[in-house]
């Protein structure tokens, strides 16, 4: 037994590392009150160590703590995304003028960032409904606090409160769904539920209707985390009000955790283990519960509404919030196809989304720190005054649109390929047409940056070497992965394995 | 054919990128250095183009065989080994030209060169201008030399963003509207092309040997080598062999509704670019707002990418759908011809008139290629070349007068014949070439197109032929309004063309006259390719794939 536990603990090392970082950050904050950079450096180191420990888990396929958490290549991939986002966001936070205003204590900020990351990493691995719920709550509670961290800004408090209220409602719904699921199957473990479900479903209409309700309620919890329409209402306000660093973190890491958890929930719980004669790499869901159609509807709604509403936004943070809703929609299409190819496509998409979305938010942050505004109208003439920054932002936005030769194109290509290959042609057409709408609002930013000029008096934005270096670090993969994407695709293809599924 | 270990087609395609890097490193105050860098790059492209022209083997057909393609370059670009549930992803960097593409490569080199000279008097952020211009150049060249659909698509899209900025930053008063309209229209087409491309990818299987060579399924059936692996492919030539389609796949079979759908998606993508009625509405805006050199590129090269795409991709891959919709294609061509000419006649803005005349003239290309016979196809491809040179002249002519008078209103001019004699000469040549006067190049290509089309669609061709009269009408009317009658007082001090302008127009003018009298050098280039394409379109059975595909 103790052998088991020791083994489990060694597989839990990345999470342990981030927890220790959290504790160390709080302690360091007590000692180095006057120099917040010490805490930042400590947390950065903690994230890097966590990342290295994750690298050591390549190829592991296990379940730890009596089935509470799965450690498989799928979870490791999403944890890596969370950690990479964490590293970049810590760097952003060190640079952010908004956060580093005089008199603000940042010790708790970094500690909460670690807590949120821990929650998201647990979300990626949780294979028990209760564990899932705890993971969601851990990441959400930290996120509520973080999004209200600049509390003197009125938007920030509003954002935090809205986030809390929506979060409370959706986790309440999810908890209700979990209780129904437990009532039906008598278990909280995903695999045990899966084994119990065929018998439940054979019980007839009432049972399968209850299951549908339970599934929809659980979907509300996931949909809230990945900000899919119609659970997206918090997103624009929170993204606009929160500090940009936190917005960036939520838009990537929180989505990654949410997607990982959602995929695991649907794939492990509702897979039809007895299905025969399926092409390699595809699976069937249990008869009697049509969650695929539900997810397809969510995908179409998220893409279309996210993109159409983004067209009308004037605040770039808000615009990126709606665009992130649309991106959640694109990625949801990868869930619909029920194949490893779809999963790999989502992972490829996350791999590129990490760089392009964080890059876009970083540029917005650098500009907002200087101009004090995120209004698109304030971007006039930036292309002439700060060419490198403007070109970098343009590259990230082009990549978000999905035009070659940027990485965003590869993400779209893989998703569309998965859709067409599995016969979801109409969904591919909807997604493709949506990227044309998306172009329209991204181009508004180009237009203001390059096509319109302001009175020449306004000064250019000068960047420190660290800021330039951070931009280059984000730019290189955004461009390189568009021209040579073999490593990313190989990594994604190697990471589709979920514990407990064939 | 290699220079310094790199194939000549790579050189001609990526030289502009090298130039772009140089431009970006130069200080922005050194305006002449920037201009000369661009000019040297464009001149080198012309030299390479001339080299291609001389070394091109006129007897090889190309179209759907690799052995018929020339100046081949082929490397593995993306290679992701297969996993149990997903085949191996193999994308090639595959360049090669045949009789259709070589004409377009020559045209691109020539027009880019002229456009650089025409950019000489641009002053606003010159560094950004030439960087984007050269990137655009690479995109255009790449489209014409790619034989891998994925590579083709990347080049096709690379060209979008520079064009958006070139119109949007350096354009006229309504440039923002024109630029975004161009961008959205083209992207709409491209995403449809992307979907068709993916559908084709999952429908076509070939075998790959350990050395990376592709083999058609028929070849594999005759005898497989060691370690051959079955893969999906983006190779265009493999897509042209019906034998490579996986039975039961999305686009397998002949005349299925999915094939029509994919053909339709590709058609919209290319038709927007041409532009064919009713997808043409972006063109007048883009042309009117674009600065002169960019109008020249737009009309001279970009529009050809649409018709080239139809000839290179849509027709050989979907000959069945092409035959099925040939009449509709011809009809759209005729509507574009007549409609473009009628709208052009109503214009008082000089540049808008030329823009609509482009719609009309590209309609002739579409009508010609819908004929499915050698004459019609020859006419179409030759008309693509001629329209490139003639319309480039026309836009330069508009630019010359606009630079001096700062207006394009046709009704404001008059009596310029004596005021600007050299200008009058150049304009007369260009206009007569555009209206199809025998002895100038436009006549030959229009004649071939109509002759070819008449054999297939008699009524439509007769209706379309009316355009010749309409074109003569609006073209001569322009000449009359600009050159004849009394000279208004305010134009008394207009100067004639300077040396730079004369050089550009004279170069193009000589080409127009030369190919009008002696078109054989161009026709010889494309003859065997178009014979093969016509046979493929008429009989549907392409020549068997030769070994070592």
């Amino acid at each position: 037994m103790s052998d088991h536990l020791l083994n489990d603990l060694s597989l839990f090392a990345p999470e342990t590392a981030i927890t220790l970082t959290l504790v160390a950050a709080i302690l360091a904050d007590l000692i180095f009150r006057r120099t917040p950079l010490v805490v930042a450096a400590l947390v950065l180191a903690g994230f890097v160590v966590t990342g290295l420990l994750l690298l050591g888990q390549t190829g592991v396929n296990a379940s730890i703590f009596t089935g509470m958490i799965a450690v498989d290549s799928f979870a490791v991939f999403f944890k890596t995304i969370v950690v990479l986002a964490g590293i970049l966001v810590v760097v952003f936070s060190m640079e952010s003028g908004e956060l580093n205003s005089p008199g603000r204590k940042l010790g708790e900020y970094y500690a909460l960032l670690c807590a949120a990351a821990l929650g998201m990493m647990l979300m990626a691995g949780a294979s028990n409904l209760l564990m899932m719920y705890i993971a969601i709550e851990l990441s959400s509670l930290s996120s509520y606090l973080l999004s209200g961290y600049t509390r003197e800004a009125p938007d920030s408090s509003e954002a935090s409160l809205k986030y809390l209220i929506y979060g409370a409602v959706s986790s309440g719904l999810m908890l209700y769904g979990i209780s129904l699921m437990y009532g039906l199957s008598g278990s909280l473990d995903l695999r045990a539920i899966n084994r119990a479900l065929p018998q439940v479903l054979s019980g007839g209409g009432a049972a399968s209707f209850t299951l549908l309700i339970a599934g929809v309620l659980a979907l509300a919890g996931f949909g809230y985390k990945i900000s899919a329409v119609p659970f997206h209402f918090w997103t624009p306000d929170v993204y606009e009000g929160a500090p940009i660093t936190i917005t960036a973190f939520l838009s990537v890491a929180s989505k990654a955790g949410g997607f990982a958890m959602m995929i695991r929930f649907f794939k492990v719980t509702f897979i039809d283990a007895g299905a025969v004669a399926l092409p390699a790499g595809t699976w069937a869901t249990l008869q009697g519960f049509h969650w695929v159609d539900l997810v397809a509807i969510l995908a179409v709604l998220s893409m279309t509404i996210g993109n159409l509403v983004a067209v009308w936004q004037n605040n770039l943070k808000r615009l990126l919030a709606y665009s992130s809703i649309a991106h959640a929609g694109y990625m949801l299409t990868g869930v619909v196809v029920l194949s490893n190819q779809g999963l790999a496509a989502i992972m490829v998409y996350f791999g590129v989304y990490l760089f392009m979305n964080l890059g876009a938010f970083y540029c917005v942050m650098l500009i907002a720190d200087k101009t004090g505004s995120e209004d698109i109208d304030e971007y006039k003439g930036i292309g002439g005054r700060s060419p490198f920054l403007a070109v970098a932002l343009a590259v990230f936005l082009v990549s978000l649109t999905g035009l070659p030769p940027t990485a965003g194109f590869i993400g779209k290509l893989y998703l569309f390929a998965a859709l067409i290959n599995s016969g979801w042609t109409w969904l591919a057409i909807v997604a493709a047409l949506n990227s044309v709408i998306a172009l329209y609002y991204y181009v508004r930013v180009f237009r203001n940056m390059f096509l319109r000029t302001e009175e020449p008096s306004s000064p250019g934005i000068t960047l420190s070497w660290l800021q330039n270096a951070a931009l280059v670090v984000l730019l290189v993969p955004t461009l390189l992965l568009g021209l040579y994407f073999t490593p990313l695709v190989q990594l994604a293809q190697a990471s589709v394995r979920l514990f407990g599924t064939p | 054919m290699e220079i310094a270990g790199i194939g000549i087609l790579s050189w001609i395609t990526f030289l502009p990128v090298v130039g772009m890097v140089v431009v970006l490193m130069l200080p922005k105050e050194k305006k002449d250095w920037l201009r000369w860098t661009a000019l040297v790059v464009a001149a080198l492209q012309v030299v390479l183009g001339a080299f291609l022209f001389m070394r091109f083997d006129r007897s090889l057909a190309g179209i759907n065989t690799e052995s018929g393609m020339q100046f081949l370059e082929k490397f593995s670009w993306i290679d992701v080994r297969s996993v149990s549930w997903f085949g191996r992803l193999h994308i090639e960097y595959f360049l090669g030209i045949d009789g259709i593409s070589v004409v377009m490569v020559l045209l691109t080199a020539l027009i880019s060169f002229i456009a650089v000279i025409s950019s000489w008097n641009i002053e606003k952020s010159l560094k950004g201008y030439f960087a984007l211009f050269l990137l655009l150049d690479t995109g255009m060249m790449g489209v014409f030399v790619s034989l891998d659909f994925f590579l083709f698509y990347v080049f096709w899209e690379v060209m979008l963003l520079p064009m958006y900025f070139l119109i949007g930053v350096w354009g006229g008063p309504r440039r923002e509207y024109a630029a975004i309209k161009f961008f959205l229209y083209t992207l709409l087409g491209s995403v449809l092309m992307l979907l068709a491309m993916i559908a084709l990818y999952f429908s076509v299987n070939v075998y790959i040997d350990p050395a990376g060579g592709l083999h058609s399924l028929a070849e594999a059936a005759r005898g497989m080598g060691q370690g051959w692996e079955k893969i999906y492919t983006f190779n265009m030539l493999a897509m042209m062999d019906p034998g490579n389609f996986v039975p039961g796949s999305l686009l397998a079979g002949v005349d299925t509704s999915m094939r029509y759908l994919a053909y339709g998606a590709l058609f919209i993508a290319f038709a927007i670019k041409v532009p064919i009625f009713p997808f043409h509405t972006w063109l007048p805006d883009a042309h009117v707002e674009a600065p002169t050199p960019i109008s020249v590129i737009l009309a001279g090269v970009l529009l050809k990418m649409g018709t080239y795409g139809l000839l290179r991709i849509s027709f050989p891959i979907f000959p069945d759908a092409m035959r099925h919709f040939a009449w509709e294609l011809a009809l759209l061509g005729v509507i574009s011809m007549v409609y473009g000419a009628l709208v052009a006649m109503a214009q008082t803005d000089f540049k808008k008139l030329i823009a609509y005349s482009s719609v009309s003239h590209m309609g002739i290309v579409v009508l010609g290629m819908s004929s499915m016979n050698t004459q019609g196809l020859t006419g179409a491809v030759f008309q693509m070349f001629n329209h490139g040179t003639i319309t480039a002249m026309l836009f330069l002519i508009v630019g010359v007068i606009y630079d001096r008078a700062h207006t394009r209103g046709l009704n404001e001019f008059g009596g310029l014949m004596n005021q600007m004699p050299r200008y009058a000469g150049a304009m007369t040549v260009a206009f007569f070439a555009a209206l199809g006067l025998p002895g100038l190049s436009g006549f030959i290509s229009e004649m071939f197109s109509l002759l070819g089309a008449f054999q297939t669609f008699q009524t439509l061709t007769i209706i379309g032929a009316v355009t010749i009269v309409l074109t003569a009408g609006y073209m001569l009317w322009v000449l009359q309004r600009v050159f004849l009658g009394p000279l208004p007082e305010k134009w008394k001090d207009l100067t004639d063309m300077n040396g730079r302008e004369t050089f550009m127009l004279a170069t193009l003018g000589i080409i127009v006259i030369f190919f009008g009298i002696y078109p054989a050098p161009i026709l010889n280039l494309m003859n065997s390719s178009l014979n093969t394409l016509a046979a493929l379109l008429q009989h549907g059975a392409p020549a068997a794939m030769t070994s070592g595909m």
Side-chain angles (χ1 to χ4, degrees), chain A residues 239-368:
Chain A
Y239 278 27
E240 188 184 351
I244 303 182
T245 48
I246 295 308
T247 309
F249 189 62
L250 291 179
S251 73
V252 176
S254 187
K255 257 194 188 55
F259 260 98
M261 193 168 66
M262 171 177 181
I263 291 168
R264 188 181 298 278
F265 175 76
F266 281 118
K267 187 175 173 187
V268 177
T269 315
F270 296 107
I271 192 169
D272 184 357
V276 284
L278 286 171
T282 61
W283 60 86
T285 56
L286 288 169
Q287 296 298 309
F289 178 40
H290 301 286
W291 64 271
V292 174
D293 300 333
L294 283 177
V295 175
I297 293 166
L298 284 197
V300 171
L301 286 178
S302 301
M303 286 189 281
T304 316
I305 292 178
N307 278 325
L308 285 178
V309 181
V311 169
W312 304 102
Q313 302 308 316
N314 286 319
N315 181 301
L316 192 47
K317 257 163 107 184
R318 224 178 153 80
L319 184 148
L320 287 175
Y322 282 106
S323 109
S324 90
I325 294 171
H327 283 281
Y330 297 133
M331 291 189 257
L332 276 175
T333 61
V335 180
V336 170
V337 298
L338 297 181
S339 69
N340 287 348
Q341 204 191 342
L343 291 192
I346 295 176
M347 291 193 217
V348 168
Y349 206 100
F350 258 112
V352 301
Y353 184 70
L354 169 76
F355 295 106
M356 62 192 186
N357 211 40
L358 285 183
F361 275 115
Y362 188 50
C363 293
V364 173
M365 181 188 104
L366 292 175
I367 293 170

Side-chain angles (χ1 to χ4, degrees), chain A residues 305-453:
Chain A
I305 292 178
N307 278 325
L308 285 178
V309 181
V311 169
W312 304 102
Q313 302 308 316
N314 286 319
N315 181 301
L316 192 47
K317 257 163 107 184
R318 224 178 153 80
L319 184 148
L320 287 175
Y322 282 106
S323 109
S324 90
I325 294 171
H327 283 281
Y330 297 133
M331 291 189 257
L332 276 175
T333 61
V335 180
V336 170
V337 298
L338 297 181
S339 69
N340 287 348
Q341 204 191 342
L343 291 192
I346 295 176
M347 291 193 217
V348 168
Y349 206 100
F350 258 112
V352 301
Y353 184 70
L354 169 76
F355 295 106
M356 62 192 186
N357 211 40
L358 285 183
F361 275 115
Y362 188 50
C363 293
V364 173
M365 181 188 104
L366 292 175
I367 293 170
D369 279 349
K370 287 293 181 331
T371 64
S373 169
E374 290 135 12
D375 200 315
I376 298 184
D377 288 335
E378 299 293 318
Y379 280 59
K380 279 179 194 157
I382 284 184
R385 284 180 278 136
S386 320
F388 178 61
L389 184 57
V391 168
L393 180 54
V395 169
F396 295 130
L397 294 180
V398 168
S399 185
L400 284 168
T401 318
L403 296 181
T406 58
F409 169 62
I410 304 307
K412 291 251 162 67
L413 176 79
Y414 261 77
L415 277 177
F416 294 172
L419 286 173
I420 288 178
N421 197 25
S422 56
W424 286 85
T425 315
W426 69 269
L427 200 52
I429 293 174
V430 172
L433 293 180
N434 256 294
S435 54
V436 181
I437 305 176
L439 175 78
Y440 181 73
Y441 59 81
Y442 292 127
V443 161
R444 287 176 58 213
V445 184
F446 303 166
R447 186 189 63 190
N448 280 358
M449 288 198 300
F450 297 102
L451 271 54
R452 292 183 176 171
T453 44

Side-chain angles (χ1 to χ4, degrees), chain B residues 1 8-9 52 55-56 69-73 95-97:
Chain B
M1 198 58 55
I8 188 165
L9 292 182
L52 287 178
R55 298 293 289 269
F56 189 83
M69 291 288 174
Q70 304 182 39
F71 306 101
L72 284 178
E73 288 174 45
L95 306 183
I97 52 175

Side-chain angles (χ1 to χ4, degrees), chain A residues 280-281 340-341 344 398 403-405 409 413-414 416-417 420-421 428-429 432-433 435-436 439-440 443 446-447 450-452 483-486 489-490 493 496, chain B residues 77-81 83-86 89 91 150 153-154 157-158 160-161 164-165 168-169 175-176 180 183-184 187-188 191 194-195 197-199 202 250 258:
Chain A
N340 287 348
Q341 204 191 342
V398 168
L403 296 181
F409 169 62
L413 176 79
Y414 261 77
F416 294 172
I420 288 178
N421 197 25
I429 293 174
L433 293 180
S435 54
V436 181
L439 175 78
Y440 181 73
V443 161
F446 303 166
R447 186 189 63 190
F450 297 102
L451 271 54
R452 292 183 176 171
L483 289 174
Y484 188 72
F485 45 94
T486 313
V489 171
Q490 276 172 338
Q493 289 186 344
V496 293
Chain B
W77 170 21
I78 304 282
D79 195 13
V80 184
R81 296 282 158 176
V83 287
S84 62
W85 42 269
F86 190 62
L89 176 71
I91 302 177
F150 189 87
Y153 187 79
V154 169
E157 297 276 278
V158 159
L160 279 184
L161 210 61
Y164 168 78
F165 284 116
V169 178
R175 56 180 186 261
E176 285 182 7
I180 185 68
F183 206 166
L184 285 175
L187 187 69
L188 175 68
V191 295
L194 176 64
L195 296 178
M197 176 178 97
I198 295 172
F202 285 116
L250 213 51
M258 276 317 279

Side-chain angles (χ1 to χ4, degrees), chain A residues 57-404:
Chain A
Q57 293 192 335
T58 316
V60 175
N61 194 24
S63 175
I64 58 175
F65 301 139
T66 60
M68 281 288 173
I69 298 172
V71 183
D72 45 26
S73 54
F74 178 81
V76 169
F77 182 92
F78 281 96
K79 286 179 198 170
T80 312
I81 296 281
V82 172
V83 169
L84 282 176
I87 291 174
L88 289 164
V89 167
V90 171
V91 174
F92 295 178
S93 305
M94 291 156 80
E95 298 288 317
S96 162
E98 181 185 20
L99 286 173
N100 292 297
S101 60
R104 193 193 311 288
K105 306 282 183 293
L106 284 176
E108 293 89 352
Y109 170 86
Y110 287 116
L112 285 167
L113 198 62
C114 293
L118 175 64
M120 290 157 194
M121 286 167 73
L122 290 175
M123 280 162 78
S127 56
N128 179 298
L129 288 176
L130 215 52
M131 190 66 221
M132 284 181 165
Y133 182 72
I134 293 170
I136 282 199
E137 285 300 296
L138 177 58
S139 82
S140 299
L141 288 171
S142 326
S143 308
Y144 303 149
L145 290 170
L146 284 170
S147 56
Y149 206 80
T150 49
R151 55 185 173 276
E152 69 284 355
D155 284 359
S156 188
S157 312
E158 185 194 329
S160 185
L161 187 63
K162 258 194 187 146
Y163 199 11
L164 174 66
I165 292 171
Y166 276 105
V169 171
S170 70
S171 60
L173 289 177
M174 191 179 176
L175 198 57
Y176 186 44
I178 289 176
S179 70
L180 286 180
M181 202 75 92
Y182 182 67
L184 281 174
S185 65
S187 173
L188 287 168
D189 183 77
L190 295 186
R191 280 188 298 154
I193 297 173
N194 178 250
R195 283 192 296 272
L197 277 184
Q199 206 190 342
V200 172
L201 284 170
S202 65
S208 93
F209 183 70
T210 317
L211 186 64
L212 179 69
I213 300 282
V216 171
L217 291 173
L219 200 56
F222 304 133
Y224 156 77
K225 266 289 160 203
I226 62 173
S227 54
V229 175
F231 312 108
H232 69 289
F233 290 102
W234 61 275
T235 315
D237 292 323
V238 171
Y239 278 27
E240 188 184 351
I244 303 182
T245 48
I246 295 308
T247 309
F249 189 62
L250 291 179
S251 73
V252 176
S254 187
K255 257 194 188 55
F259 260 98
M261 193 168 66
M262 171 177 181
I263 291 168
R264 188 181 298 278
F265 175 76
F266 281 118
K267 187 175 173 187
V268 177
T269 315
F270 296 107
I271 192 169
D272 184 357
V276 284
L278 286 171
T282 61
W283 60 86
T285 56
L286 288 169
Q287 296 298 309
F289 178 40
H290 301 286
W291 64 271
V292 174
D293 300 333
L294 283 177
V295 175
I297 293 166
L298 284 197
V300 171
L301 286 178
S302 301
M303 286 189 281
T304 316
I305 292 178
N307 278 325
L308 285 178
V309 181
V311 169
W312 304 102
Q313 302 308 316
N314 286 319
N315 181 301
L316 192 47
K317 257 163 107 184
R318 224 178 153 80
L319 184 148
L320 287 175
Y322 282 106
S323 109
S324 90
I325 294 171
H327 283 281
Y330 297 133
M331 291 189 257
L332 276 175
T333 61
V335 180
V336 170
V337 298
L338 297 181
S339 69
N340 287 348
Q341 204 191 342
L343 291 192
I346 295 176
M347 291 193 217
V348 168
Y349 206 100
F350 258 112
V352 301
Y353 184 70
L354 169 76
F355 295 106
M356 62 192 186
N357 211 40
L358 285 183
F361 275 115
Y362 188 50
C363 293
V364 173
M365 181 188 104
L366 292 175
I367 293 170
D369 279 349
K370 287 293 181 331
T371 64
S373 169
E374 290 135 12
D375 200 315
I376 298 184
D377 288 335
E378 299 293 318
Y379 280 59
K380 279 179 194 157
I382 284 184
R385 284 180 278 136
S386 320
F388 178 61
L389 184 57
V391 168
L393 180 54
V395 169
F396 295 130
L397 294 180
V398 168
S399 185
L400 284 168
T401 318
L403 296 181

Side-chain angles (χ1 to χ4, degrees), chain B residues 204-431:
Chain B
V204 176
N205 263 167
V206 288
Y207 279 91
I208 185 167
D209 61 32
L214 299 187
H215 305 274
S216 66
L217 296 191
E219 218 171 73
R222 283 198 296 273
M224 281 227 305
Q226 270 293 318
W228 286 19
E229 198 180 342
K230 203 187 219 178
I231 57 166
Y232 292 123
T233 182
F234 283 113
N235 186 312
M236 281 184 201
L237 306 181
M239 291 173 179
M240 293 173 198
D241 181 352
N244 283 339
F245 280 81
V246 186
S249 65
L250 213 51
L251 299 180
V254 175
D255 284 312
T256 64
S257 54
M258 276 317 279
R259 278 179 75 86
Y260 289 165
L261 198 66
Y263 177 79
L266 284 176
F267 175 75
I268 292 174
F270 296 133
I272 287 174
K273 207 80 183 187
V274 175
I276 300 173
F277 179 91
F279 305 104
H280 66 283
T281 60
W282 64 269
L283 180 109
D285 290 303
H287 266 316
V288 168
E289 300 308 325
T292 303
I294 302 308
S295 291
V296 168
I297 290 274
L298 200 54
V301 183
L302 249 68
L303 306 191
K304 305 329 175 268
M305 288 168 49
T307 40
Y308 176 79
L310 288 172
L311 289 172
R312 163 71 54 225
I313 295 176
S314 295
F315 290 4
I317 297 180
F318 297 100
D320 49 335
M322 192 272 154
R323 270 194 302 276
H324 188 262
F325 292 111
W327 187 83
E328 285 81 358
L329 184 66
L331 177 69
L332 286 178
V334 168
I335 293 176
S336 299
M337 285 163 73
V338 178
Y339 171 86
L342 286 174
V343 180
M345 198 174 271
Q347 301 304 318
T348 53
D349 181 319
F350 201 162
K351 214 169 177 186
K352 220 166 185 165
L353 182 140
I354 305 297
Y356 278 107
S357 84
S358 272
V359 176
S360 178
H361 283 119
M362 291 307 283
I364 297 177
V365 177
V366 175
L367 178 63
M369 63 170 84
S370 67
S371 70
M372 295 181 285
N373 54 39
T374 311
Q375 285 102 315
L377 288 170
T378 307
V381 178
F382 194 32
Q383 171 78 356
M384 281 155 73
F385 183 86
N386 291 337
H387 179 259
T389 48
I390 295 169
T391 313
M393 278 184 89
L394 295 175
F395 278 111
L396 289 172
I397 282 163
V398 178
V400 167
I401 196 81
Y402 185 72
D403 283 347
R404 286 164 176 68
H406 302 289
T407 176
R408 294 185 301 254
L410 282 171
N411 295 335
E412 297 175 42
F413 296 110
L416 289 178
M417 181 77 90
N418 294 327
Q419 186 75 20
M420 305 171 75
R422 265 183 287 165
Y423 183 63
M427 187 157 158
T428 312
V429 170
F431 272 52

